[in-house]
Amino acid sequence: MIAVAQSTAEKQAQTLFHALSEVLPTGGLLTQVEQMRPYECDGLSMFRRLPLAVALPQTEAQVAAVLRICHAQQVPVIARGAGTGLAGGALPQEDAVLLSLARLKSIIEIDPLARTARVQPGVRNLAISEAAAKHGLYYAPDPSSQIACSIGGNVAENSGGVHCLKYGLTLHNVLGVRAYTAEGELLELGGAALDSPGYDLLALMIGSEGLLAVVTEVTVKLLPRPQLARVVMAAFDSAEQAGEAVAAIIAAGIIPAGLEMMDRLAISAVEDFVHAGYPLDAEAILLVESDGIPEEVIAEIERIETQLRRCGAVSMRTSRDETERLKLWAGRKAAFPAVGRITPDYYCMDGTIPRRHLGDVLRQIAAMSVEFGLGCANVFHAGDGNLHPLIFYDANKPGDLEQAEAFGARILRLCVAVGGTITGEHGVGVEKIDGMCVQFTATELACFHAVKAGFDPAGLLNPGKAVPTLHRCAELGRMHVHHGEHAHPELPRF
Amino acid sequence: MDDYLEQARARVLGAAAAGTTLRLRGGGSKDFYGGDLRGDILETAAYRGIVAYDPSELVVTVRAGTPLAEVEATLAASGQMLAFEAPHFGAATVGGCVAAGLSGPRRPYAGSLRDAVLGVTMMDGRGEVLRFGGQVMKNVAGFDVFRLQAGALGTLGVLLEVSFKVLPRPEMESTRVYACNAEQALELMNRHAGLPLPLSGASFESGRLRLRLSGNAPAVQAAEARLGGDVDSEGAAYWQDLREHLLPFYAAETPLWRLSVPSTRASFADSQTQELIDWGGAQRWLRTTHPAETIRARAHAAGGHATQFRNGARNATFQPLAPALRALHLRLKQTFDPAGVFNRGRLYPDF
Ligand SMILES: Cc1cc2nc3c(=O)[nH]c(=O)nc-3n(C[C@H](O)[C@H](O)[C@H](O)COP(=O)(O)OP(=O)(O)OC[C@H]3O[C@@H](n4cnc5c(N)ncnc54)[C@H](O)[C@@H]3O)c2cc1C
């Protein structure tokens, strides 16, 4: 019996591979284990799985054809950009085709007068700014992974960057997408205009983690390059004081181009690695950037320095030229790899909190670090309250990973408890799926499932990611229970 | 205040059971907008008040029945604003503004209403209270169902609370004015938007291009020197009147169209059409006697869409949707409001 079942599955796989190879370019279908290894995980390497096959289309028509074939055979499809995602969003599964968009990488058109670029999904984030540079323009969202991550992945995650406090997230900088549903039907959402009629489906698509449709083209907004940028690095004796300085700057009516914080552990890891010139005796440093036209920047930097001084900065350094500015930023940009040098492994969290709770939350994280016996460095987007605690662990030490995950889960619960969210920019993926049970009620999760079903009734796109089943939440015992009763008692706890 | 929720729930469940529709109404300032008004009124204005506001968080959370003017006054007292400049058109409530999804002259430079919505609490067509998004600037947990409410014209549920991102009011604003034709104006608007200038408005009508500058004083002064043109000493009043449709252009009785198109699209003006250009070229207001099909076809050909904003056929206000998108609209409506309780026909005639 078992042998028969296997051979049926194998036969189905062969039929699928045959159909896919008909529509894909030579070398565009990988089915051998060795070929598929590079695709077994994304940036969250603690989770690894092999797919059934990897499809590497080169054109939009091939993407649509792959989707139609998989739909006809009811085979799940998982889209993948550059695989830098930190939540396991592009993690394969054994019965699914991994659809890589990496070979759709042409910049179709740049319109310098209208300040827009039309690009394929596999184009790297930084490549857009590089191509726009000759027109004095750039694409504003700048995740630290921008040399590698794809614009399609950015759309799927609604990615941010150090400049998103002033210039917005992916959502604020994308005008339109072309995308294909699981059935292979084209959706044109948004476009070259600033809005579109009816429901804002573009907003729904951005940040949907590949669950609703596969993006095959993105129209982005380009902004004029600022003439001048300067950064102030300020050191503080406590993280609370640094947090107060952040609030003071914003309350003074300043929206810095970047406003980042690092704690003592992160500072020392970074100094060892890139020698950015950060003070090793500080408990926390802030990097505060101003950009714009020179007159504006000079005035704004003065006001920023005043606020920092008033809030107790013990030392300050302001960049005098571009070399110095880049050096001050180099430390922040290298923070993750720097931490990677002082611990065998680290686990990057991504909660966001209302900023007024910064001091308290950092204190509680420090206490948890002692409790779990694992180090934790903090590097984060202080301006918008987006924390990145980096939990140290050793994957080779039995039990360490589980401890790190438990520590992380506690941090996320704390973020939700103070009115924040489990993920500010990295997405839910497989990693934070249980956290969704903490943040949303059963009714709200049921609504997400219904939205998903509206786009993908058969549930073939990136199944099991981003939105937990009610069953899973019920099992975890983390379902919100209001007034002692579940919402929608009529719904099955699937 | 729980009374309001209980009453609203009873009305929603009652309408669902009876198969009737409810007409959600805040201040009534957008009664002119969208499809025919149908159903018994569910007043939302009683559920009002500012729930949370801490200026240093750059976030305000308000009940949906709160007058927009009250929120704006509260923010102004702390030197902040809702940067999207939603038009009031009368006694607007916050919920009505979100439902209409309209943004004013600052939109291309500071973002739209939808961009600024961080979270909503709403009641769906089953009487359930749902919360999406939150009160923080960055949040990618779950689909952005809260942003879907912006511009949905209340067809998906009753908005109860909304959180917005707010911004500091600029230290200084000034307006430059230039005499030119539409073609020159469009060229200048687009070229200037590609330069690092503190632009916050760009409009053209009656042979006048106006550029608004906002920012700290040195920035605005440097830009003024660079841009030339004349000072418009009535600038502040002009942008206010543009936002509220109080300029003479808006007074006529001919149909008023709103076109959303790429900012570089050539002028639509002709012997039958007067045009007012806003949003640096990306939004065109037309007074025209052309048939609707002509206007829609031209907007579509330009890569945009047209809304029959005032004095037109109400049940054909919005550009028809492509079949694939229409199907998604119907499924989303079904998800939130299976019995079709809310504002039936207000957005599109068939749901
Ligand atoms: C060192 C490092 C630093 C980082 N810094 C930041 C940061 O500062 N800010 C930030 O926001 N993120 C950051 N990230 C996370 C990551 O780079 C972003 O989430 C990025 O957007 C992922 O893009 P990708 O192309 O690698 O997508 P992938 O990892 O390949 O995929 C991510 C998700 O998108 C889906 N997807 C990909 N392409 C498509 C498509 N065309 N259509 C539909 N769905 C698709 C996938 O299914 C998956 O769910 C960082 C990651 C690393 C490793």
Side-chain angles (χ1 to χ4, degrees), chain A residues 42-43 78-86 89-90 101 121 142-145 148-154 156-161 209-210 213-216 336 381 425-426 462:
Chain A
D42 60 9
I78 297 168
R80 177 184 164 110
T84 67
L86 291 173
L101 284 307
D142 57 342
S144 311
S145 52
C149 65
S150 74
I151 188 72
N154 292 174
E157 301 289 10
N158 190 14
S159 301
E209 303 196 29
V214 175
V215 174
T216 53
F336 288 18
H381 310 301
E425 58 180 14
H426 294 165
N462 219 1

mmCIF file of all heavy atoms in Angstrom, chain A residues 42-43 78-86 89-90 101 121 142-145 148-154 156-161 209-210 213-216 336 381 425-426 462, ligand 1:
data_model
loop_
_atom_site.group_PDB
_atom_site.id
_atom_site.type_symbol
_atom_site.label_atom_id
_atom_site.label_comp_id
_atom_site.label_asym_id
_atom_site.label_seq_id
_atom_site.Cartn_x
_atom_site.Cartn_y
_atom_site.Cartn_z
ATOM 1 N N ASP A 42 15.773 31.107 4.605
ATOM 2 C CA ASP A 42 16.021 32.513 4.278
ATOM 3 C C ASP A 42 16.982 33.063 5.332
ATOM 4 O O ASP A 42 17.824 32.318 5.843
ATOM 5 C CB ASP A 42 14.704 33.295 4.154
ATOM 6 C CG ASP A 42 13.877 33.280 5.436
ATOM 7 O OD1 ASP A 42 14.376 32.823 6.477
ATOM 8 O OD2 ASP A 42 12.721 33.744 5.389
ATOM 9 N N GLY A 43 16.864 34.334 5.699
ATOM 10 C CA GLY A 43 17.781 34.927 6.661
ATOM 11 C C GLY A 43 17.621 34.378 8.073
ATOM 12 O O GLY A 43 18.454 34.625 8.940
ATOM 13 N N ILE A 78 5.506 28.990 -2.865
ATOM 14 C CA ILE A 78 6.107 29.935 -1.927
ATOM 15 C C ILE A 78 7.013 30.871 -2.712
ATOM 16 O O ILE A 78 7.970 30.419 -3.350
ATOM 17 C CB ILE A 78 6.905 29.179 -0.843
ATOM 18 C CG1 ILE A 78 5.941 28.294 -0.040
ATOM 19 C CG2 ILE A 78 7.654 30.154 0.062
ATOM 20 C CD1 ILE A 78 6.621 27.291 0.867
ATOM 21 N N ALA A 79 6.687 32.150 -2.701
ATOM 22 C CA ALA A 79 7.501 33.122 -3.433
ATOM 23 C C ALA A 79 8.761 33.416 -2.636
ATOM 24 O O ALA A 79 8.764 33.393 -1.409
ATOM 25 C CB ALA A 79 6.708 34.405 -3.661
ATOM 26 N N ARG A 80 9.827 33.691 -3.361
ATOM 27 C CA ARG A 80 11.085 34.047 -2.710
ATOM 28 C C ARG A 80 11.760 35.145 -3.517
ATOM 29 O O ARG A 80 11.792 35.097 -4.746
ATOM 30 C CB ARG A 80 12.008 32.831 -2.638
ATOM 31 C CG ARG A 80 13.376 33.140 -2.047
ATOM 32 C CD ARG A 80 14.257 31.904 -2.114
ATOM 33 N NE ARG A 80 15.650 32.260 -1.916
ATOM 34 C CZ ARG A 80 16.346 31.941 -0.825
ATOM 35 N NH1 ARG A 80 15.782 31.287 0.153
ATOM 36 N NH2 ARG A 80 17.614 32.288 -0.736
ATOM 37 N N GLY A 81 12.259 36.157 -2.797
ATOM 38 C CA GLY A 81 13.021 37.214 -3.449
ATOM 39 C C GLY A 81 14.491 36.890 -3.319
ATOM 40 O O GLY A 81 14.991 35.957 -3.937
ATOM 41 N N ALA A 82 15.184 37.655 -2.440
ATOM 42 C CA ALA A 82 16.614 37.419 -2.247
ATOM 43 C C ALA A 82 16.881 36.510 -1.060
ATOM 44 O O ALA A 82 18.028 36.171 -0.782
ATOM 45 C CB ALA A 82 17.326 38.753 -2.060
ATOM 46 N N GLY A 83 15.829 36.158 -0.324
ATOM 47 C CA GLY A 83 16.020 35.256 0.816
ATOM 48 C C GLY A 83 16.703 35.895 2.005
ATOM 49 O O GLY A 83 17.335 35.204 2.801
ATOM 50 N N THR A 84 16.583 37.214 2.168
ATOM 51 C CA THR A 84 17.184 37.881 3.339
ATOM 52 C C THR A 84 16.180 38.055 4.468
ATOM 53 O O THR A 84 16.515 38.607 5.509
ATOM 54 C CB THR A 84 17.756 39.270 2.992
ATOM 55 O OG1 THR A 84 16.662 40.135 2.667
ATOM 56 C CG2 THR A 84 18.725 39.202 1.826
ATOM 57 N N GLY A 85 14.934 37.640 4.242
ATOM 58 C CA GLY A 85 13.891 37.804 5.252
ATOM 59 C C GLY A 85 14.312 37.206 6.586
ATOM 60 O O GLY A 85 15.018 36.200 6.627
ATOM 61 N N LEU A 86 13.886 37.825 7.681
ATOM 62 C CA LEU A 86 14.334 37.397 9.007
ATOM 63 C C LEU A 86 13.238 36.697 9.796
ATOM 64 O O LEU A 86 13.379 36.491 10.992
ATOM 65 C CB LEU A 86 14.851 38.613 9.796
ATOM 66 C CG LEU A 86 16.159 39.212 9.271
ATOM 67 C CD1 LEU A 86 16.493 40.502 10.011
ATOM 68 C CD2 LEU A 86 17.299 38.208 9.406
ATOM 69 N N GLY A 89 9.730 33.823 6.239
ATOM 70 C CA GLY A 89 8.613 33.982 5.303
ATOM 71 C C GLY A 89 8.810 33.189 4.021
ATOM 72 O O GLY A 89 7.854 32.720 3.412
ATOM 73 N N ALA A 90 10.066 33.024 3.610
ATOM 74 C CA ALA A 90 10.347 32.295 2.366
ATOM 75 C C ALA A 90 10.828 30.873 2.653
ATOM 76 O O ALA A 90 11.408 30.222 1.782
ATOM 77 C CB ALA A 90 11.382 33.066 1.537
ATOM 78 N N LEU A 101 11.886 34.840 -7.582
ATOM 79 C CA LEU A 101 11.703 35.970 -8.500
ATOM 80 C C LEU A 101 13.035 36.636 -8.818
ATOM 81 O O LEU A 101 13.086 37.692 -9.449
ATOM 82 C CB LEU A 101 10.738 36.998 -7.878
ATOM 83 C CG LEU A 101 9.231 36.696 -7.862
ATOM 84 C CD1 LEU A 101 8.742 36.356 -9.256
ATOM 85 C CD2 LEU A 101 8.856 35.613 -6.890
ATOM 86 N N PRO A 121 10.415 42.507 -9.807
ATOM 87 C CA PRO A 121 10.474 42.257 -8.365
ATOM 88 C C PRO A 121 11.840 41.819 -7.847
ATOM 89 O O PRO A 121 12.160 42.018 -6.687
ATOM 90 C CB PRO A 121 9.453 41.134 -8.161
ATOM 91 C CG PRO A 121 9.348 40.457 -9.482
ATOM 92 C CD PRO A 121 9.547 41.542 -10.488
ATOM 93 N N ASP A 142 15.443 52.247 3.047
ATOM 94 C CA ASP A 142 16.796 51.691 2.982
ATOM 95 C C ASP A 142 17.053 50.673 4.086
ATOM 96 O O ASP A 142 17.780 50.935 5.033
ATOM 97 C CB ASP A 142 17.838 52.821 3.070
ATOM 98 C CG ASP A 142 17.671 53.650 4.337
ATOM 99 O OD1 ASP A 142 16.588 53.591 4.968
ATOM 100 O OD2 ASP A 142 18.628 54.347 4.726
ATOM 101 N N PRO A 143 16.448 49.466 3.952
ATOM 102 C CA PRO A 143 16.762 48.436 4.951
ATOM 103 C C PRO A 143 18.265 48.185 4.982
ATOM 104 O O PRO A 143 18.949 48.356 3.960
ATOM 105 C CB PRO A 143 16.006 47.200 4.437
ATOM 106 C CG PRO A 143 15.480 47.520 3.095
ATOM 107 C CD PRO A 143 15.533 48.995 2.914
ATOM 108 N N SER A 144 18.771 47.783 6.145
ATOM 109 C CA SER A 144 20.220 47.542 6.257
ATOM 110 C C SER A 144 20.679 46.477 5.273
ATOM 111 O O SER A 144 21.846 46.412 4.932
ATOM 112 C CB SER A 144 20.578 47.086 7.662
ATOM 113 O OG SER A 144 19.994 47.941 8.603
ATOM 114 N N SER A 145 19.743 45.662 4.811
ATOM 115 C CA SER A 145 20.066 44.603 3.856
ATOM 116 C C SER A 145 19.969 45.091 2.411
ATOM 117 O O SER A 145 19.903 44.271 1.492
ATOM 118 C CB SER A 145 19.076 43.455 4.058
ATOM 119 O OG SER A 145 17.748 43.956 4.028
ATOM 120 N N ALA A 148 21.344 43.591 -0.848
ATOM 121 C CA ALA A 148 20.940 42.249 -1.258
ATOM 122 C C ALA A 148 19.442 42.075 -1.447
ATOM 123 O O ALA A 148 19.007 41.397 -2.375
ATOM 124 C CB ALA A 148 21.429 41.229 -0.229
ATOM 125 N N CYS A 149 18.630 42.672 -0.596
ATOM 126 C CA CYS A 149 17.201 42.338 -0.597
ATOM 127 C C CYS A 149 16.514 42.864 -1.855
ATOM 128 O O CYS A 149 16.944 43.844 -2.456
ATOM 129 C CB CYS A 149 16.509 42.849 0.659
ATOM 130 S SG CYS A 149 16.462 44.627 0.829
ATOM 131 N N SER A 150 15.432 42.193 -2.255
ATOM 132 C CA SER A 150 14.748 42.549 -3.497
ATOM 133 C C SER A 150 13.560 43.457 -3.211
ATOM 134 O O SER A 150 12.992 43.433 -2.118
ATOM 135 C CB SER A 150 14.256 41.278 -4.200
ATOM 136 O OG SER A 150 13.132 40.742 -3.526
ATOM 137 N N ILE A 151 13.180 44.235 -4.204
ATOM 138 C CA ILE A 151 12.042 45.136 -4.028
ATOM 139 C C ILE A 151 10.752 44.324 -3.835
ATOM 140 O O ILE A 151 9.863 44.719 -3.087
ATOM 141 C CB ILE A 151 11.937 46.156 -5.187
ATOM 142 C CG1 ILE A 151 10.877 47.222 -4.899
ATOM 143 C CG2 ILE A 151 11.654 45.484 -6.517
ATOM 144 C CD1 ILE A 151 11.259 48.213 -3.841
ATOM 145 N N GLY A 152 10.673 43.154 -4.481
ATOM 146 C CA GLY A 152 9.499 42.288 -4.283
ATOM 147 C C GLY A 152 9.398 41.838 -2.836
ATOM 148 O O GLY A 152 8.311 41.829 -2.247
ATOM 149 N N GLY A 153 10.532 41.475 -2.244
ATOM 150 C CA GLY A 153 10.563 41.103 -0.828
ATOM 151 C C GLY A 153 10.205 42.292 0.048
ATOM 152 O O GLY A 153 9.481 42.169 1.040
ATOM 153 N N ASN A 154 10.694 43.475 -0.316
ATOM 154 C CA ASN A 154 10.365 44.691 0.439
ATOM 155 C C ASN A 154 8.858 44.939 0.441
ATOM 156 O O ASN A 154 8.278 45.301 1.461
ATOM 157 C CB ASN A 154 11.044 45.938 -0.166
ATOM 158 C CG ASN A 154 12.551 45.961 -0.029
ATOM 159 O OD1 ASN A 154 13.214 46.836 -0.571
ATOM 160 N ND2 ASN A 154 13.116 44.991 0.683
ATOM 161 N N ALA A 156 6.546 42.672 -0.005
ATOM 162 C CA ALA A 156 5.898 41.609 0.759
ATOM 163 C C ALA A 156 6.021 41.839 2.263
ATOM 164 O O ALA A 156 5.148 41.452 3.031
ATOM 165 C CB ALA A 156 6.490 40.256 0.389
ATOM 166 N N GLU A 157 7.116 42.490 2.691
ATOM 167 C CA GLU A 157 7.330 42.691 4.129
ATOM 168 C C GLU A 157 7.002 44.107 4.583
ATOM 169 O O GLU A 157 7.078 44.401 5.774
ATOM 170 C CB GLU A 157 8.788 42.390 4.490
ATOM 171 C CG GLU A 157 9.264 40.978 4.167
ATOM 172 C CD GLU A 157 8.667 39.912 5.071
ATOM 173 O OE1 GLU A 157 7.738 40.229 5.840
ATOM 174 O OE2 GLU A 157 9.119 38.763 5.002
ATOM 175 N N ASN A 158 6.701 45.029 3.683
ATOM 176 C CA ASN A 158 6.588 46.450 4.014
ATOM 177 C C ASN A 158 7.817 46.909 4.800
ATOM 178 O O ASN A 158 7.722 47.451 5.907
ATOM 179 C CB ASN A 158 5.304 46.747 4.803
ATOM 180 C CG ASN A 158 5.053 48.245 4.933
ATOM 181 O OD1 ASN A 158 5.673 49.053 4.226
ATOM 182 N ND2 ASN A 158 4.180 48.632 5.838
ATOM 183 N N SER A 159 8.968 46.684 4.210
ATOM 184 C CA SER A 159 10.232 46.925 4.903
ATOM 185 C C SER A 159 10.481 48.399 5.176
ATOM 186 O O SER A 159 10.027 49.274 4.440
ATOM 187 C CB SER A 159 11.382 46.378 4.051
ATOM 188 O OG SER A 159 11.198 45.003 3.847
ATOM 189 N N GLY A 160 11.234 48.625 6.238
ATOM 190 C CA GLY A 160 11.634 49.984 6.601
ATOM 191 C C GLY A 160 13.140 50.105 6.521
ATOM 192 O O GLY A 160 13.811 49.259 5.940
ATOM 193 N N GLY A 161 13.652 51.174 7.090
ATOM 194 C CA GLY A 161 15.095 51.387 7.105
ATOM 195 C C GLY A 161 15.392 52.498 8.079
ATOM 196 O O GLY A 161 14.477 52.996 8.745
ATOM 197 N N GLU A 209 3.245 39.394 2.916
ATOM 198 C CA GLU A 209 4.160 38.255 3.077
ATOM 199 C C GLU A 209 3.931 37.129 2.069
ATOM 200 O O GLU A 209 4.057 35.951 2.405
ATOM 201 C CB GLU A 209 4.093 37.721 4.516
ATOM 202 C CG GLU A 209 4.407 38.801 5.551
ATOM 203 C CD GLU A 209 4.741 38.244 6.931
ATOM 204 O OE1 GLU A 209 5.257 37.125 7.004
ATOM 205 O OE2 GLU A 209 4.496 38.950 7.928
ATOM 206 N N GLY A 210 3.577 37.501 0.854
ATOM 207 C CA GLY A 210 3.434 36.489 -0.191
ATOM 208 C C GLY A 210 2.224 35.586 -0.026
ATOM 209 O O GLY A 210 2.146 34.543 -0.658
ATOM 210 N N ALA A 213 -0.780 37.276 -3.284
ATOM 211 C CA ALA A 213 -0.464 37.211 -4.716
ATOM 212 C C ALA A 213 1.045 37.330 -4.881
ATOM 213 O O ALA A 213 1.742 37.721 -3.952
ATOM 214 C CB ALA A 213 -1.168 38.341 -5.469
ATOM 215 N N VAL A 214 1.522 36.986 -6.073
ATOM 216 C CA VAL A 214 2.955 37.083 -6.350
ATOM 217 C C VAL A 214 3.211 38.353 -7.158
ATOM 218 O O VAL A 214 2.648 38.537 -8.243
ATOM 219 C CB VAL A 214 3.451 35.843 -7.124
ATOM 220 C CG1 VAL A 214 4.911 35.998 -7.519
ATOM 221 C CG2 VAL A 214 3.251 34.587 -6.278
ATOM 222 N N VAL A 215 4.044 39.216 -6.624
ATOM 223 C CA VAL A 215 4.302 40.512 -7.244
ATOM 224 C C VAL A 215 5.292 40.355 -8.384
ATOM 225 O O VAL A 215 6.373 39.770 -8.213
ATOM 226 C CB VAL A 215 4.857 41.496 -6.190
ATOM 227 C CG1 VAL A 215 5.275 42.806 -6.830
ATOM 228 C CG2 VAL A 215 3.816 41.733 -5.105
ATOM 229 N N THR A 216 4.927 40.871 -9.558
ATOM 230 C CA THR A 216 5.802 40.734 -10.728
ATOM 231 C C THR A 216 6.316 42.075 -11.256
ATOM 232 O O THR A 216 7.147 42.107 -12.154
ATOM 233 C CB THR A 216 5.078 40.009 -11.880
ATOM 234 O OG1 THR A 216 3.851 40.688 -12.129
ATOM 235 C CG2 THR A 216 4.797 38.556 -11.520
ATOM 236 N N PHE A 336 24.805 44.298 13.244
ATOM 237 C CA PHE A 336 24.420 42.883 13.276
ATOM 238 C C PHE A 336 25.642 41.975 13.072
ATOM 239 O O PHE A 336 25.899 41.093 13.888
ATOM 240 C CB PHE A 336 23.315 42.569 12.255
ATOM 241 C CG PHE A 336 21.941 43.106 12.606
ATOM 242 C CD1 PHE A 336 21.772 44.109 13.553
ATOM 243 C CD2 PHE A 336 20.804 42.604 11.984
ATOM 244 C CE1 PHE A 336 20.514 44.601 13.874
ATOM 245 C CE2 PHE A 336 19.534 43.092 12.296
ATOM 246 C CZ PHE A 336 19.389 44.093 13.232
ATOM 247 N N HIS A 381 15.758 51.247 15.932
ATOM 248 C CA HIS A 381 15.213 52.456 15.318
ATOM 249 C C HIS A 381 14.453 53.207 16.412
ATOM 250 O O HIS A 381 13.250 53.040 16.571
ATOM 251 C CB HIS A 381 14.293 52.084 14.163
ATOM 252 C CG HIS A 381 14.894 51.103 13.196
ATOM 253 N ND1 HIS A 381 16.061 51.361 12.517
ATOM 254 C CD2 HIS A 381 14.504 49.870 12.791
ATOM 255 C CE1 HIS A 381 16.355 50.325 11.732
ATOM 256 N NE2 HIS A 381 15.424 49.407 11.896
ATOM 257 N N GLU A 425 8.957 45.517 11.307
ATOM 258 C CA GLU A 425 9.356 45.554 9.901
ATOM 259 C C GLU A 425 9.795 44.212 9.330
ATOM 260 O O GLU A 425 9.891 44.075 8.123
ATOM 261 C CB GLU A 425 10.476 46.593 9.686
ATOM 262 C CG GLU A 425 11.722 46.325 10.527
ATOM 263 C CD GLU A 425 12.843 47.340 10.315
ATOM 264 O OE1 GLU A 425 12.595 48.392 9.725
ATOM 265 O OE2 GLU A 425 13.966 47.055 10.745
ATOM 266 N N HIS A 426 10.069 43.218 10.152
ATOM 267 C CA HIS A 426 10.590 41.958 9.605
ATOM 268 C C HIS A 426 9.497 40.973 9.201
ATOM 269 O O HIS A 426 9.762 40.026 8.484
ATOM 270 C CB HIS A 426 11.541 41.283 10.603
ATOM 271 C CG HIS A 426 12.787 42.082 10.843
ATOM 272 N ND1 HIS A 426 13.638 41.844 11.889
ATOM 273 C CD2 HIS A 426 13.313 43.131 10.181
ATOM 274 C CE1 HIS A 426 14.636 42.706 11.845
ATOM 275 N NE2 HIS A 426 14.460 43.502 10.818
ATOM 276 N N ASN A 462 1.987 30.463 -0.009
ATOM 277 C CA ASN A 462 2.703 30.545 1.266
ATOM 278 C C ASN A 462 1.849 30.059 2.441
ATOM 279 O O ASN A 462 1.675 30.774 3.435
ATOM 280 C CB ASN A 462 3.184 31.984 1.501
ATOM 281 C CG ASN A 462 4.562 32.003 2.137
ATOM 282 O OD1 ASN A 462 5.155 30.953 2.388
ATOM 283 N ND2 ASN A 462 5.079 33.194 2.398
HETATM 284 C C1 LIG C 1 21.524 41.774 7.779
HETATM 285 C C2 LIG C 1 20.065 42.038 7.553
HETATM 286 C C3 LIG C 1 19.579 43.318 7.818
HETATM 287 C C4 LIG C 1 18.245 43.599 7.626
HETATM 288 N N1 LIG C 1 17.798 44.876 7.858
HETATM 289 C C5 LIG C 1 16.505 45.179 7.655
HETATM 290 C C6 LIG C 1 16.024 46.509 7.895
HETATM 291 O O1 LIG C 1 16.771 47.408 8.239
HETATM 292 N N2 LIG C 1 14.714 46.756 7.703
HETATM 293 C C7 LIG C 1 13.851 45.783 7.294
HETATM 294 O O2 LIG C 1 12.674 46.073 7.151
HETATM 295 N N3 LIG C 1 14.272 44.527 7.051
HETATM 296 C C8 LIG C 1 15.560 44.204 7.221
HETATM 297 N N4 LIG C 1 16.003 42.911 6.986
HETATM 298 C C9 LIG C 1 15.024 41.888 6.574
HETATM 299 C C10 LIG C 1 14.906 41.627 5.055
HETATM 300 O O3 LIG C 1 16.038 42.085 4.363
HETATM 301 C C11 LIG C 1 13.654 42.290 4.490
HETATM 302 O O4 LIG C 1 12.518 41.684 5.048
HETATM 303 C C12 LIG C 1 13.556 42.214 2.955
HETATM 304 O O5 LIG C 1 12.465 42.976 2.495
HETATM 305 C C13 LIG C 1 13.393 40.813 2.421
HETATM 306 O O6 LIG C 1 13.573 40.846 1.007
HETATM 307 P P1 LIG C 1 13.990 39.548 0.202
HETATM 308 O O7 LIG C 1 14.022 39.904 -1.226
HETATM 309 O O8 LIG C 1 15.223 38.968 0.760
HETATM 310 O O9 LIG C 1 12.727 38.627 0.500
HETATM 311 P P2 LIG C 1 12.665 37.090 0.902
HETATM 312 O O10 LIG C 1 13.365 36.868 2.185
HETATM 313 O O11 LIG C 1 13.060 36.272 -0.251
HETATM 314 O O12 LIG C 1 11.114 36.938 1.130
HETATM 315 C C14 LIG C 1 10.471 37.618 2.158
HETATM 316 C C15 LIG C 1 8.961 37.392 2.068
HETATM 317 O O13 LIG C 1 8.474 37.989 0.892
HETATM 318 C C16 LIG C 1 7.797 37.061 0.065
HETATM 319 N N5 LIG C 1 8.115 37.475 -1.306
HETATM 320 C C17 LIG C 1 9.342 37.708 -1.831
HETATM 321 N N6 LIG C 1 9.231 38.137 -3.090
HETATM 322 C C18 LIG C 1 7.913 38.200 -3.377
HETATM 323 C C19 LIG C 1 7.166 38.568 -4.530
HETATM 324 N N7 LIG C 1 7.743 38.975 -5.653
HETATM 325 N N8 LIG C 1 5.813 38.498 -4.467
HETATM 326 C C20 LIG C 1 5.198 38.085 -3.338
HETATM 327 N N9 LIG C 1 5.857 37.731 -2.238
HETATM 328 C C21 LIG C 1 7.204 37.785 -2.252
HETATM 329 C C22 LIG C 1 8.324 35.727 0.501
HETATM 330 O O14 LIG C 1 7.365 34.718 0.280
HETATM 331 C C23 LIG C 1 8.568 35.936 1.969
HETATM 332 O O15 LIG C 1 7.378 35.762 2.685
HETATM 333 C C24 LIG C 1 17.355 42.594 7.181
HETATM 334 C C25 LIG C 1 17.846 41.322 6.896
HETATM 335 C C26 LIG C 1 19.194 41.032 7.083
HETATM 336 C C27 LIG C 1 19.669 39.668 6.758
#
